[in-house]
Amino acid sequence: MGIQQNPEESQQKKMKWWKKAAIIVLLIACIVAAAYHHKDIDPTQTAHTEQTEQIPLEAAQKQPTAQPTEQPSTPVTPVVAEEKTQTPKKEDFSGVALFGNSQIDGFHIYNSLPGADCLYRVGLNVKSAFEKPMLGEKKPVLDKLAEKQYTDIFLTFGENELGWTYPDVFIEDYRKLLSAVRERQPDAKLYIQSILPVSAEVSQKNEDNTNNTRIRQYNELLRKLAEEESVTYIDVAAIVQDAEGNLPKEAATDGIHPGKNYNKKWADLIARYVTEGVSE
């Protein structure tokens, strides 16, 4: 006959087994939960990192970085882009009068001396200036000088006088014209400009004695007149002629009247005398 187990002891053993099983299951659950939590959350992330996870990558890259709070030991002067400065250029020549023959037409056409008054007539010479008016005007060109006060008056004569028989008559009539200009503009500074050379082709044709040898002869007489009358002589011929003393082919379509580029050279020379007081 076998030994019968005490029912109370059997119940206690069953309780101990269930407790152990429950503990084991709990431990397994804790381990699984810990592994799962470790997988989803990066322990190196901070609270700040968790907040920025909601910001798109592009926007996050644009976030300003922290700036140092310390001030530099010496004041920093803001860098300002340096402005390019140029020598002031005169843009208003309203005190200037260009007085003479058709060579002045280029200044009117190209407006190469803005504001300057162009008082001229095609074919005008030192005699007809007392009588002939500008196109569409009634007053003689000379009398147009009396309508306002000028600071500088540039005279351009001689081209239409190259055919005169006696050069000394040309010079004496030019002297009379200077006197008449002074009467009308006693405070203006006067300039006698040289006669411009003509092209080699025009010089060879020699119509009305228009050739560069004659022009150089007249220019020497004009230089002497300017000295005698205490006015400024401007050698315009020197800045437009080529090595042979002719007006280059590209300078003028007709070989006489300078086109835009050469008129600008002439205008720049006049501007220098007005703005810088150039003297020879």
Side-chain angles (χ1 to χ4, degrees):
M1 182 175 176
I3 301 173
Q4 294 184 351
Q5 191 174 16
N6 189 342
E8 186 176 349
E9 289 181 1
S10 176
Q11 185 68 24
Q12 289 178 350
K13 288 181 180 180
K14 289 181 180 180
M15 290 290 294
K16 290 180 179 179
W17 184 86
W18 282 109
K19 287 181 179 179
K20 290 180 180 179
I23 292 173
I24 292 171
V25 171
L26 182 61
L27 288 174
I28 292 173
C30 290
I31 292 171
V32 172
Y36 180 81
H37 183 71
H38 177 76
K39 179 181 178 181
D40 289 349
I41 300 177
D42 185 354
T44 62
Q45 289 182 326
T46 62
H48 174 73
T49 306
E50 292 174 355
Q51 292 177 359
T52 58
E53 284 179 350
Q54 304 301 321
I55 303 175
L57 177 59
E58 183 180 354
Q61 290 175 343
K62 295 181 180 179
Q63 297 298 315
T65 57
Q67 298 296 324
T69 56
E70 294 183 2
Q71 297 296 326
S73 57
T74 57
V76 177
T77 303
V79 178
V80 180
E82 183 179 356
E83 294 183 1
K84 293 183 179 180
T85 57
Q86 297 180 348
T87 303
K89 184 178 179 181
K90 186 177 178 66
E91 297 181 352
D92 181 13
F93 293 88
S94 57
V96 174
L98 305 175
F99 173 41
N101 56 40
S102 60
Q103 293 283 15
I104 296 174
D105 193 37
F107 295 93
H108 173 69
I109 293 173
Y110 306 120
N111 193 31
S112 46
L113 288 172
D117 287 341
C118 298
L119 310 178
Y120 70 102
R121 180 188 173 100
V122 175
L124 200 70
N125 61 48
V126 291
K127 282 187 175 180
S128 61
F130 286 86
E131 302 171 354
K132 297 286 186 179
M134 292 175 58
L135 187 64
E137 298 277 347
K138 294 183 178 180
K139 286 183 180 179
V141 181
L142 175 63
D143 290 338
K144 291 288 291 183
L145 287 172
E147 292 184 352
K148 63 180 282 188
Q149 180 64 53
Y150 293 103
T151 58
D152 303 87
I153 300 175
F154 295 83
L155 289 85
T156 306
F157 290 94
E159 178 191 353
N160 297 316
E161 295 90 322
L162 291 171
W164 289 11
T165 304
Y166 303 104
D168 57 334
V169 173
F170 162 61
I171 294 301
E172 288 308 311
D173 284 338
Y174 207 140
R175 197 186 306 274
K176 293 176 184 177
L177 183 62
L178 285 173
S179 178
V181 171
R182 282 196 175 106
E183 289 177 3
R184 291 158 176 79
Q185 293 286 334
D187 298 324
K189 186 173 182 179
L190 306 186
Y191 304 81
I192 291 178
Q193 301 189 93
S194 69
I195 306 169
L196 273 65
V198 295
S199 68
E201 183 180 1
V202 170
S203 184
Q204 289 172 1
K205 288 182 179 179
N206 194 31
E207 294 181 1
D208 295 324
N209 218 12
T210 301
N211 64 78
N212 286 325
T213 299
R214 180 77 160 180
I215 289 172
R216 284 189 285 271
Q217 177 191 1
Y218 268 42
N219 282 341
E220 285 304 313
L221 294 174
L222 291 176
R223 188 189 298 273
K224 183 179 179 181
L225 174 64
E227 183 179 349
E228 292 172 352
E229 293 295 323
S230 300
V231 301
T232 303
Y233 175 77
I234 303 180
D235 190 2
V236 183
I239 67 165
V240 297
Q241 66 189 12
D242 60 19
E244 286 74 37
N246 304 312
L247 190 66
K249 286 185 178 180
E250 70 274 12
T253 56
D254 63 356
I256 300 175
H257 300 87
K260 184 175 182 179
N261 291 338
Y262 277 75
N263 178 264
K264 185 179 185 306
K265 288 185 178 184
W266 188 358
D268 289 345
L269 180 62
I270 291 177
R272 284 186 56 214
Y273 277 88
V274 174
T275 59
E276 302 175 17
V278 177
S279 61
E280 297 183 347

